[in-house]
Every structure is written in C-alpha cells, then in structure tokens.
DNA sequence: TTGTACGCGTTATCAG
DNA sequence: CTGATAACGCGTACAA
C-alpha cells in the first residue's frame, strides 16, 4: 500500500462516506484528503486543481467539488518549494505616504492581482541603508520579480546584484538607475517637465528663478535641473550655482528654506520646486514673511499631490499618471516572467506628463 | 550511504577543497552543500544555523563560516512548510496614502523587523469587498498574525472567521470591531476627542456647529459623534439630525459639501470634521464663497495630517501618535505569538490623543 | 555532541 | 487519462 494511504484511519479506508477521518480537526486539508475521499491518487488531484489538460472533465469536476466541500486551500509553501517560484512580486518605494506612490501601488496591485501574483510592499523611508535591508528581505522571500523606486541617497546599487545574478528581473520606475545594465525603466521625461515648468515661469514674467530640488544622484532631480537650465538658456537668462538649492525634501528643510528665500536679496521672482509638499510649506513660510504669491513670487511644484489643490493659492504643478505607471510597470514585469516578452536589453519607457497651471504662478505680465 | 550524499559528485566526495561540486551554478546553496563541505550531517548544520544549544562552539563557528563563504540563504518555504509557521504578519489598512497610516506602518515595521517577522501589507481602498479579498490572500499566505484597520463600509466581519477558527490572532487598531469576541483593539478615546473638539469650538463662541463625519458603522465615527453630542448637551446647545452630515470622506464630496454649507441658512458658525484632508478642501470651498475662517466659521479637523499645517489658516485638529500605535500593535501581536502574553479575552488598549489648537478655530469671543 | 531517517504538501517524471 | 514515486530544503524525534 502506498505510503500516503497509511494516514487514513484503518476502519474508514473503504468507506468513502466517512467524514471524520480524512479531515482531522486542526489539521490542514491536503490533496491527500481529497484523494482519499475520491479513491484516486494525489497526483490526479494536483493535476485537477491546476487545470492540467490531461485530466477528464468528470474527475476534475469531482475534485473541485470535494475540494470545495472540505475547504481545501493549496499550500503555497509546498508549491513554491516544489516549483521554485513564488508567484510574488516585491515592491520597494521611498515612501508610502504620497499621492503619487499610492496611485502607482494601486496600479501595480490591480495588474498583479489579475495575473495571480501576490505583492510584498516595503518602504525605504528615503534611506539607502533601509533600502538595502528591504532588498535583502525581498531576496530572501524569493520574489519572482522586483519593482523599485530608489531612495533619496542611494548611490551604490550592489544590493540588486543578487537579483541580477540569479536572473530575477528588476524593474525601476520614476527614481531609476539608468546606468544599470539589463534593466527596464519606466519614467516621465523629467527634463521636458523641468523645461516646461521653467518656461512657464519665464513666460509669466519671472527673471530670477530659484530651483529647489533633491539629491542630484537621482535621475528625476538631475533631469529636471537640466530642463530648468535649458529653459533659462533658451531665454538667455543668466544661470549661477546659487540659483539651485539641493536639499532633503522634508518638512523641516521646507520651513527653513522658505524663510531663507524670503530674506534673499534681491528677492527671486519665481520658484520651481520639485515637490508639492515642500512647495506648499515654502509658500506658507513666504506668506508669513509678507510675500505675495504669485504677485511677488510665482511658484511651480511637482507631482500634483492633493496638497497642491488645497493650498492657497492653488499650486501650479506637473501631473503624471501614477496608476497608469503602476499598471505599466507590473504588466511589463509579469509579461517578462511569463516569457512573453524578453527583457534582455536595457529598456526605457517614457510616459506622458503635463503642466497643470493654477493660481500660484499666474500673473499679468 | 545516506541519500543526500548521492548528490555529491563522485570524484569530489573525499576532496573537501573541491569548489566546483558542492555549489552548482544557478542552483541554490542548501544545508546539504554546507554539510558536504564540512563532512558533517545536514542535521548538524541546521542546528548550527538555528543556534541550537546542543552543538559545539567549534562546529557552529565552522558552519557559519562556510555558510557565509557559500552565500547560503535559508529557504523560507522549506522552513515554513516544516515549521508550520511563516514568521510573517499581515496588515490590512484602508489607505496607504495618509500620514497617520504610514506612521503606523513605520511603527509596525520597526517592531516586526526587530523580532524577525516579515510583513505583507495591503490596502482595502475603503472597500469592504476588497478587504474581503485581502483577508483571503492573507489567509492563503498563512500569516502568523493579522493586523487590521477596517474599511469604511465593512459591516459583515465573517471574512475574519477563518483566522479565528484556525487560531490565528487578529488585532485591530483605530477602525476596530469591538463587538467581535476574542480580539484585541488599540484605539484612541474617540468620544473624548470628539468632545474636546466640540467643546473647544463652543468655548470659541460657536453656537451652531455642524459635524461632518464618516460611516457610523465605524467606531471612530460613532464615538466622535457621541463626544460631539455630549459637548452640545453639556453646554445646553440644541441638537438636531440636520447638524450631522454623514458622507464618504473623499475629495469630491468635500468640494460638494463645502459649497453646500456655504449656502446654508442660517450659516453655521463652527465645523467639526473628522478628517483633515476633507476639512482642508471644505475650507477652500468656503473661502471661495467669501466666508472668513475663523471669523465667520471656526473649523476643527482630525488626524494632524501634514495638510493641516499647510492650509490657510492652519487647521486645529486632533493629534494621535501613529508610530507609537503601530509599535504597540505589533509588539502586542508578537508577544502573543511568542506565547508570552495570552490574548484570550477581548481586550482594549486606549492610547493618548490631544487637541492641537491652530488658527482655524481661534477667535475672540 | 552528532548522525539517521522521515515528513511537511506539492508537482514533475515516468510508466502504465 | 491515471498512478506511483521521487524530489524540493528544512527541522526534529530517535539513536548512537
């Protein structure tokens, strides 16, 4: 007698209707329980549950019924152990607490769910060190694929090497690592966005525009700066290093820098800030010092976060579709995992972004 | 010869220095590889890696060295399968995109990490239906414990039954289910908070205060309403159903209701709104209609979200410590899992909250 | 202190 | 179409 049948209580072995035996209290229901119930082999049960073509309609039907009746739940661990795949995607983002990021996550989750993938989400809280820890956890969890938006100050990317070595696809969005070979990036055209934001300010009559941005190791900030300079250049406005303020884009520095700008002489007449929340706080600090927005100083932010619609005056900003980006990222990764699309070469996808003009930058010239 | 040794390449079996055999390219490193390298049994390796007391310092040392050298990663699936535990906690929250929630998550993550637990996070997006799906996923992922803050409109709680049946602890925070037996809840005193917010408005001279809140099936909203009524009662102010507006607390209804309130006759002189973002948008809508805050109408929000500090005027609100709450929740759950603390009876922990007074409600009486 | 042998629940392979 | 059997990698009685 095969080993697995031994688990069956002796007296019940030939009594299919015995409800007490196959499902022991407190024990998980397994394919063996189903198999015993139907007097077939576990192998057939497994096939039936996985829609294997080589199983008759009738048996499949019966298997599903009994599975249902017994409340069977496939054991992911056994399955993952055997299949060497987890059907899980990892996601590492800088912060969960932003409109953009949670839109992206919603998009990723939608696509992942539909494709039968689970998600492990973690935030680096803008710390490279925590990002390394998160990547490590993801690797240990043996995710089938990884989706990343880099932390503020990540420079060394070696924590992704294990993934590359093992052939686990890594795909970046927004805060990407373009110099990394064999990876896919999904971004907006940050240079263009920076250019348009700056040009808009210039067209509104600004001549002395300060640019506040984050760590230039991040593509998003470096490219927006390029766009800013391109616009200045095109309109033959002077540029000096002092016009660019690089800082951590957190709440505290927003207050500090807002106040510092209010004291600048000559007072700048335009601000291009790469973060809405930061811009909102700055604006607040400036108004406290009696500076009128946009009359004295026009402001453009970035991200179209909710806060941009709530501050006074409403903030001109750059909008880009988070949900869409998330869906695209997930779809891309999953297609690759399913072998539909080879992801061999470095690949960059650029999605649309647009300038949303609101009162914070609109003024008569 | 034991079965596992067979995997070893014949010519290498007695040659410990052979680097090619034990670690096959593309293959995972297992405890067998380490065992072969050291000519000991896999059992010893397993014990060594798990700090089992019955293993000599010397062998443990050697095991760790080789593990390090080979880049060994314990296989979670095999381990979980064997141990019947996953060392994973599930977290279901309504929305990731809020200051409060992401603070809580940061707290949970901190404690969970320290205790060696992994996290699976998912958002219900305020939909009961999605919450059910998420709970199901968590159950299939066989989390060791579950942390939940309920969605807006969840009424039926049967999706948590499988957890209770299987003895998996479920712990609620903020949006809890107090009528559920055998579960722990961590909350603030919402009635007290509601009372203090309302009393503050009354003390500022408000006599006709509107309360805007969410679905009263949720404890947080029901209790705040109680507090609101308690304050009115105490100051012998009249109460009618029309003074309470129950609505989905989303962006769109914020605009609508803000405008509706501006047209009310008589115009109310105070608003107590159970959500900062909603309050911020409302305030905006009211100001567009020429209503002065706080002179014509004083406003109190809830949550101390970042937006409350950025709107104009800054919003009086209720602050409660998200990070602390998260740490407490996680610590409680983990203590229970480790068997330190029995979580048998229904148990409620109340943590501190406070009214933060800002300009939106401050006026001369 | 260490080794042996087995089972956790699935799935892949091979043989009917 | 179905069954038997052997892994997947780990942890642990039981034995030595």
């Amino acid at each position: 007698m095969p080993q697995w049948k031994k688990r069956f209580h002796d007296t019940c072995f030939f009594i299919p209707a015995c409800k007490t035996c196959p499902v022991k209290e407190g024990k998980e229901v397994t394919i063996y329980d189903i198999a015993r119930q139907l007097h077939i082999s576990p192998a057939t049960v497994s096939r039936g549950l996985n829609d294997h073509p080589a199983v008759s309609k009738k048996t499949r039907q019966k298997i599903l019924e009994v599975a249902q009746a017994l409340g069977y739940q496939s054991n992911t661990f056994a399955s993952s152990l055997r299949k060497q795949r987890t059907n899980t995607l990892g996601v590492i983002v800088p912060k969960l607490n932003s409109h953009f990021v949670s839109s992206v996550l919603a998009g990723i989750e939608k696509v992942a769910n539909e494709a039968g993938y689970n998600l492990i989400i973690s935030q680096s809280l803008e710390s490279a060190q925590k990002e390394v820890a998160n990547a490590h956890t993801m690797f240990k969890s043996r995710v089938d694929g990884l989706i990343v938006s880099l932390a503020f100050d990540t420079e060394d990317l070696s924590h992704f090497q294990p993934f590359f070595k093992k052939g686990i696809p890594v795909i970046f969005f927004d805060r990407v690592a373009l110099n990394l070979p064999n990876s896919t990036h999904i971004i907006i055209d940050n240079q263009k966005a920076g250019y348009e934001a700056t040009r808009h300010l210039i067209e509104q009559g600004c001549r002395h525009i300060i640019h506040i941005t984050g760590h230039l190791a991040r593509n998003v900030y470096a490219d927006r700066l390029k766009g800013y300079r391109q616009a200045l250049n095109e309109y033959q406005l002077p540029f000096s290093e002092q016009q660019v303020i690089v800082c951590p884009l957190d709440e505290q520095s927003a207050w500090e820098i807002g106040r510092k700008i209010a004291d600048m002489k000559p007072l700048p007449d335009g601000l291009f800030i790469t973060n809405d929340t930061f811009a909102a706080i700055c604006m607040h600090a400036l108004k406290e010092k009696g500076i009128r927005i946009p009359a004295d100083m026009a402001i453009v932010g970035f991200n179209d976060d909710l806060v941009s619609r709530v501050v006074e005056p409403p903030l001109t900003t750059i909008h880009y579709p988070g949900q869409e980006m998330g869906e695209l990222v997930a779809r891309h990764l999953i297609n690759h995992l399913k072998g539909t699309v080879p992801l061999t070469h470095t690949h960059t996808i650029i999605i649309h972004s647009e300038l949303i003009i609101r009162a914070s930058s609109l003024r008569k010239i």
Side-chain angles (χ1 to χ4, degrees), chain A residues 270-283:
Chain A
L271 295 182
F272 169 35
I273 305 176
T274 55
N275 177 295
D276 276 348
T277 305
F278 194 99
I281 297 173
C282 251
M283 192 187 284

Side-chain angles (χ1 to χ4, degrees), chain A residues 40-264:
Chain A
I40 59 179
S41 98
T44 307
V45 176
S46 173
R47 285 191 278 254
L49 292 168
N50 289 298
D51 283 342
H52 192 289
V55 59
S56 78
K57 275 240 179 299
K58 247 176 47 189
T59 22
R60 189 203 318 293
Q61 183 57 32
K62 276 199 236 161
I63 290 168
L64 292 178
E65 269 170 24
V66 176
Q68 177 74 27
L70 262 46
Y72 168 78
Q73 293 279 23
S74 145
N75 184 319
T76 335
F77 304 117
S79 178
S80 290
L81 179 60
R82 182 62 237 241
K83 287 196 300 189
Q84 308 279 38
R85 295 185 299 113
T86 63
N87 257 55
T88 299
L89 304 182
V91 186
I92 302 178
V93 294
K95 292 199 103 196
L96 293 170
N97 182 23
S98 103
H99 177 67
F100 170 66
V101 167
S102 55
S103 306
V104 171
L105 286 177
I108 292 176
E109 196 175 43
K110 178 157 171 266
V111 173
N113 267 344
E114 282 167 6
Y117 280 85
N118 285 115
L119 242 43
I120 302 185
I121 300 167
S122 76
Q123 52 182 340
S124 62
L125 293 171
E126 299 289 15
S127 138
Q129 194 190 340
K130 211 159 160 6
E131 184 179 293
V132 173
N134 287 342
H136 194 71
T137 305
M138 295 290 178
F139 190 75
K140 292 226 313 178
S141 303
R142 287 181 164 62
V143 295
D144 290 341
L146 186 63
I147 296 172
V148 181
S149 183
L150 292 169
F152 211 72
D153 59 341
T154 302
E155 305 216 18
D156 177 18
L157 293 168
S158 56
H159 46 300
F160 298 117
Q161 278 311 318
F163 294 90
F164 294 125
K165 259 193 199 158
K166 210 173 137 195
I168 298 171
V170 180
I171 185 165
F172 294 87
F173 74 91
D174 197 46
R175 308 249 203 107
V176 304
L178 288 170
N179 48 341
L180 217 54
N182 285 336
S183 52
T184 294
H185 312 273
I186 298 186
I187 49 179
I188 59 164
D189 187 337
N190 283 287
Q191 174 164 356
K192 175 167 150 281
Y195 168 78
E196 285 175 357
T198 312
R199 188 183 61 184
H200 167 69
L201 285 170
I202 297 172
E203 285 170 352
Q204 292 297 312
C206 301
R207 289 296 170 267
H208 179 28
I209 303 168
I210 299 280
H211 179 42
I212 303 176
T213 194
H215 200 303
L216 295 177
R218 287 285 75 73
N219 64 304
V220 291
Y221 304 122
D223 289 351
R224 290 168 200 176
L225 173 60
K226 274 186 213 156
Y228 164 79
R229 295 195 58 167
Q230 180 191 343
L232 293 189
N233 226 333
E234 192 170 296
Y235 285 82
Q236 295 167 355
L237 292 177
F239 171 79
S240 77
E241 299 289 345
Q242 283 84 48
Q243 287 167 238
V244 178
I245 301 175
V246 173
C247 70
L249 296 170
D250 58 14
E251 204 176 332
Q252 196 198 336
S253 32
W255 288 109
E256 285 167 12
I257 288 175
R259 290 184 191 119
K260 204 153 70 186
I261 288 175
D263 293 334
M264 279 174 84

Side-chain angles (χ1 to χ4, degrees), chain A residues 201 204 206 209 268-272 292-300 360-363:
Chain A
L201 285 170
Q204 292 297 312
C206 301
I209 303 168
D269 54 6
L271 295 182
F272 169 35
R292 293 165 306 164
I293 317 285
D296 299 331
M297 205 181 293
I299 303 185
V300 176
S360 73
S361 65
L362 266 188
R363 54 182 189 179

